[in-house]
Amino acid sequence: MGAERHRRSLAAGEMLFREGDGGHEAYVIEAGCVEIFTGAFETRRSIARLGADEIFGEMTLLGGHTRLASAVATEATSLIVISHEYLEERVLAADPLLRHLLRVVIARTRDNVLRLGQNTSEPGAGVSGTAHAAADRQAALQHLRLEQAMATALEQKEFQLHLQPIVRLGDSRPAGFEALIRWIRPDGSRVSPGEFIPVAEQSELIYVLGHWIIRESCRCLAELDRLVPGAAPFLSLNLSLRQFDDPDLFPVLEAALADSGLDPRRLRLEITESMIARDADATLKLLQRCKALGAKLSVDDFGTGYSSLSYLQRLPVDCLKLDRSFISDLETSPAATRIVGAVARLAHELGMETVAEGIETPGQAALCRELGVDYGQGFHWSPAVPLERAAQVLSPGQAA
Ligand code: C2E
Ligand code: CA
Ligand code: CA
């Protein structure tokens, strides 16, 4: 604890707070003894006598409610004060679900205390007292609902992998695909991966979903081979940082590759530059394991992760995916043009390939080609499409 930590000393018989007072602090007893009681002092009903290391007063900390009981030092006592601000700072940094659970538990405990001990008419102080609490409650409930719906959706097979063509700029032919997950509800509505992937990442659902994505990617690639013999496209799949904590990640990858009989070099694992920026050393170890499988590695959203370029020397990267933000500025910004050209040259010097993401116009495609970018991906050619459509795109004679 830092400056928020305050101490209080009480003489024997000194009151700390009274029933009905507003309260914003909790206390830890360092030394001495505190009696908690209800009613007037003379006719008090003792609830507890607390000694060293015990904590009390915590129920007003989060909710800003009034004290349900009084506290008096029965001997010379010293206390450590936990202030509302101190706790709120930490609680605000926590996950909304944890915050909400904390408030629910505190509110329930208060309700019980009120019902059992006091017979007051104060209704159970709900958990939606402050604007913060109401927002947390909403966020926590939404999070819970989405998490539960996702678990059901997996069972009900509401997820699909769609494939977005990645086109070789030299000859405008599709050379591979990026697998992008799609959640299509029974009523036809869609939930965007930008919404549900972050929720999955906060629980172990990302592991289950990740396994499914890996197996399904390999199945799709094998199916494309059956539908379009000889085309041998590569397939990029997105990995989340949390998946690297999954002890089954590598076994699942190995098994999926073995079961589908695919050449592992046709699988590209995409990790974002921000993942590398967070912990380059840990990422290096994991990426080396990915490489040991024989899969290729792409750095997604390249140019947005604020990571040091030095990682390019150390990490076994095969491909840089230039973020869409550079591409959308290409036709209007000379700086964007120079950046894209410089990245393409740098990648080639380092023996890496480049993919320009989010190409939406023929002009952007032409510029990327002139600047030496190897591949393009974007709505100019196609959004992510179901497997059958991807097979048509791949067939000779079909334009992407
Ligand atoms: P990302 O990996 O950067 O994927 C590219 C996103 O850009 C996709 O959005 C794609 O549909 C969209 N996009 C492609 N071409 C264009 C274009 O020309 N213009 C514009 N405006 N957008 C384009 P999507 O599918 O909504 O995915 C969003 C993010 O969700 C992905 O960003 C990725 O971070 C995550 N995601 C999607 N599928 C998966 C998955 O299977 N696993 C994991 N871990 N994350 C996924
Ligand atoms: Ca990606
Ligand atoms: Ca991207």
Side-chain angles (χ1 to χ4, degrees):
M1 288 200 225
E4 313 89 328
R5 189 170 102 166
H6 302 295
R7 280 166 203 284
R8 281 283 287 276
S9 295
L10 300 173
E14 192 177 337
M15 293 291 297
L16 181 62
F17 55 74
R18 288 174 201 279
E19 205 176 331
D21 285 351
H24 287 287
E25 297 172 345
Y27 306 90
V28 181
I29 302 174
E30 266 205 313
C33 182
V34 169
E35 185 184 356
I36 310 292
F37 66 90
T38 56
F41 185 74
E42 294 71 24
T43 55
R44 67 188 179 278
R45 223 175 91 198
S46 184
I47 295 175
R49 288 175 77 86
L50 306 171
D53 292 337
E54 301 210 68
I55 190 165
F56 66 98
E58 73 281 358
M59 276 187 273
T60 58
L61 254 185
L62 284 175
H65 297 288
T66 53
R67 300 283 185 192
L68 296 174
S70 307
V72 64
T74 57
E75 57 188 75
T77 295
S78 64
L79 304 171
I80 298 168
V81 180
I82 306 171
S83 71
H84 174 75
E85 291 74 14
Y86 175 80
L87 192 77
E88 195 69 2
E89 207 182 303
R90 274 151 187 76
V91 168
L92 282 177
D95 175 70
L97 180 64
L98 286 182
R99 289 203 295 258
H100 183 58
L101 284 176
L102 203 58
R103 289 193 167 104
V104 168
V105 168
I106 288 174
R108 289 233 172 98
T109 314
R110 271 182 73 91
D111 286 354
N112 288 338
V113 172
L114 284 168
R115 217 174 303 122
L116 295 175
Q118 287 204 303
N119 257 350
T120 73
S121 57
E122 188 188 335
V127 287
S128 51
T130 65
H132 267 321
D136 284 350
R137 184 168 189 276
Q138 268 319 99
L141 288 178
Q142 167 132 2
H143 191 113
L144 272 178
R145 275 192 211 109
L146 202 56
E147 221 174 80
Q148 259 163 19
M150 245 187 284
T152 317
L154 262 167
E155 280 165 23
Q156 308 283 328
K157 305 200 184 336
E158 290 172 22
F159 289 106
Q160 293 181 21
L161 273 193
H162 282 192
L163 306 176
Q164 184 173 33
I166 298 177
V167 172
R168 192 179 294 105
L169 290 173
D171 61 8
S172 298
R173 295 288 315 153
F177 297 91
E178 176 175 359
L180 291 163
I181 192 165
R182 296 291 176 255
W183 180 0
I184 304 168
R185 309 298 302 266
D187 64 2
S189 64
R190 289 171 177 238
V191 188
S192 130
E195 192 181 336
F196 69 81
I197 291 282
V199 173
E201 281 173 346
Q202 286 177 41
S203 74
E204 299 202 347
L205 259 176
I206 192 66
Y207 297 174
V208 187
L209 206 58
H211 296 173
W212 180 84
I213 291 166
I214 290 166
R215 293 195 191 101
E216 188 64 8
S217 293
C218 290
R219 188 193 71 79
C220 285
L221 205 47
E223 184 63 10
L224 281 176
D225 285 352
R226 198 182 64 77
L227 293 170
V228 194
F234 62 79
L235 192 84
S236 265
L237 69 91
N238 293 281
L239 284 182
S240 293
L241 187 59
R242 268 297 305 279
Q243 284 181 268
F244 285 125
D245 300 331
D246 173 9
D248 292 329
L249 174 68
F250 290 99
V252 167
L253 267 168
E254 277 161 12
L257 279 167
D259 290 351
S260 55
L262 291 166
D263 179 346
R265 285 172 300 183
R266 289 175 56 201
L267 210 58
R268 296 189 177 197
L269 305 175
E270 292 193 8
I271 50 152
T272 61
E273 194 187 22
S274 53
M275 278 164 70
I276 298 168
R278 275 190 27 200
D279 190 345
D281 289 333
T283 317
L284 174 61
K285 289 202 188 82
L286 293 162
L287 296 190
Q288 281 167 338
R289 281 191 74 179
C290 293
K291 282 299 280 194
L293 287 175
K296 296 204 169 187
L297 291 174
S298 293
V299 177
D300 201 357
D301 305 340
F302 183 76
T304 61
Y306 304 105
S307 65
S308 135
L309 279 181
S310 66
Y311 77 82
L312 290 179
Q313 275 184 320
R314 300 202 290 135
L315 298 185
V317 174
D318 301 285
C319 176
L320 300 180
K321 294 192 78 174
L322 271 151
D323 189 67
R324 176 155 61 91
S325 53
F326 298 109
I327 309 309
S328 55
D329 289 348
L330 260 187
E331 288 167 296
T332 50
S333 153
T337 310
R338 285 196 203 100
I339 291 172
V340 171
V343 171
R345 284 193 298 279
L346 173 76
H348 287 166
E349 302 239 327
L350 294 169
M352 299 170 189
E353 294 184 321
T354 42
V355 177
E357 292 191 294
I359 295 186
E360 294 183 349
T361 67
Q364 290 165 352
L367 269 169
C368 285
R369 188 181 302 120
E370 281 167 33
L371 292 166
V373 178
D374 301 300
Y375 300 97
Q377 176 181 355
F379 297 163
H380 167 57
W381 292 282
S382 168
V385 291
L387 177 81
E388 297 68 30
R389 177 76 192 115
Q392 288 170 5
V393 167
L394 196 60
S395 299
Q398 298 281 324

